[in-house]
Amino acid sequence: QSALTQPASVSGSPGQSITISCTGTSSDVGGYNYVSWYQQHPGKAPKLMIYDVSNRPSGVSNRFSGSKSGNTASLTISGLQAEDEADYYCSSYTSSSTLVYVFGTGTKVTVL
Amino acid sequence: QLQLQESGPGLVKPSETLSLTCTVSGGSISGSSYYWGWIRQPPGKGLEWIGSIYYSGSTYYNPSLKSRVTISVDTSKNQFSLKLTSVSAADTAVYYCARHWVAGAFDYWGQGTLVTVSS
């Protein structure tokens, strides 16, 4: 399976909202509501930010929200803060016959 | 608080076998509906799922790596392990272990361990 497609970079000023897209196919993003999003700061392990398309784990700011339309999922960060500068990856379950996962290509978020 | 910790050699020679272990603390690797997985990240690149295992021993592998990967579990030690055979420089990466539920997200991650393939 191929990696999900994300923009290489997205930027915004503090306080603004940005949206990161994650495009797959009907075999992954479009076929299941099992899209998740991860934040990764340099040298750190990824941190789960959104699961099952739009659910936030306990402790994650409500400035982070997720959605999906067709084969494209999106992560929106509202009220952008300096600490949000990081790499973001989407991931999706991608098979009905066995358990398989695919990650996105990753997006670098820069806070201007 | 659940914690995962990877361990193993940081340097492996080309054509040899990479072996890593993930030790789980603060919770049991057995029971419930959780799976235990391995993910890797080459330097400066994105994440790649390698495979996952259930405590019963059921395994699931990335089709692109399946021929070289074996994941096993030792419930008595609360550990699961990764073996990757015939490694090359392309296998140089930070290797993470993580927990996930079936078809669901990876909610707990280890800190990662860098494995370099070089002679």
Side-chain angles (χ1 to χ4, degrees):
Chain A
Q1 70 284 6
S2 300
L4 307 175
T5 301
Q6 298 179 232
S9 63
V10 173
S11 62
S13 299
Q16 287 186 331
S17 293
I18 61 169
T19 296
I20 304 168
S21 61
C22 170
T23 301
T25 69
S26 58
S27 296
D28 39 63
V29 174
Y32 309 94
N33 288 323
Y34 294 128
V35 176
S36 51
W37 289 91
Y38 304 86
Q39 177 191 65
Q40 186 180 34
H41 287 108
K44 300 295 187 181
K47 174 187 176 184
L48 178 63
M49 306 300 285
I50 295 287
Y51 67 94
D52 295 352
V53 175
S54 59
N55 295 294
R56 272 189 315 276
S58 174
V60 172
S61 170
N62 59 9
R63 297 185 298 103
F64 292 84
S65 62
S67 63
K68 190 185 83 166
S69 177
N71 296 337
T72 299
S74 299
L75 173 71
T76 298
I77 309 174
S78 58
L80 199 61
Q81 299 180 0
E83 67 209 50
D84 300 331
E85 185 162 297
D87 293 325
Y88 291 82
Y89 293 91
C90 61
S91 178
S92 175
Y93 172 74
T94 183
S95 174
S96 60
S97 61
T98 186
L99 184 71
V100 178
Y101 285 93
V102 62
F103 282 93
T105 51
T107 298
K108 170 66 176 177
V109 169
T110 300
V111 181
L112 302 171
Chain B
Q1 177 77 348
L2 191 74
Q3 292 185 322
L4 291 80
Q5 178 70 58
E6 305 88 351
S7 59
L11 181 64
V12 181
K13 290 182 168 56
S15 80
E16 295 190 346
T17 297
L18 179 158
S19 297
L20 295 173
T21 296
C22 182
T23 300
V24 179
S25 58
S28 175
I29 203 169
S30 303
S32 299
S33 299
Y34 291 112
Y35 290 68
W36 307 90
W38 288 97
I39 300 103
R40 69 179 182 178
Q41 184 173 36
K45 296 187 178 181
L47 300 167
E48 179 181 36
W49 175 72
I50 300 171
S52 298
I53 190 166
Y54 192 53
Y55 79 96
S56 63
S58 297
T59 51
Y60 310 87
Y61 299 130
N62 186 324
S64 67
L65 297 169
K66 186 174 183 177
S67 64
R68 298 194 292 130
V69 174
T70 301
I71 297 175
S72 58
V73 64
D74 186 337
T75 55
S76 67
K77 295 182 178 179
N78 228 30
Q79 296 175 333
F80 61 105
S81 299
L82 168 70
K83 289 189 185 299
L84 181 65
T85 63
S86 304
V87 298
S88 68
D91 296 308
T92 293
V94 175
Y95 286 76
Y96 295 100
C97 58
R99 185 187 83 166
H100 66 94
W101 55 91
V102 59
F106 298 87
D107 58 351
Y108 283 92
W109 295 66
Q111 65 185 27
T113 187
L114 175 62
V115 178
T116 301
V117 179
S118 175
S119 56

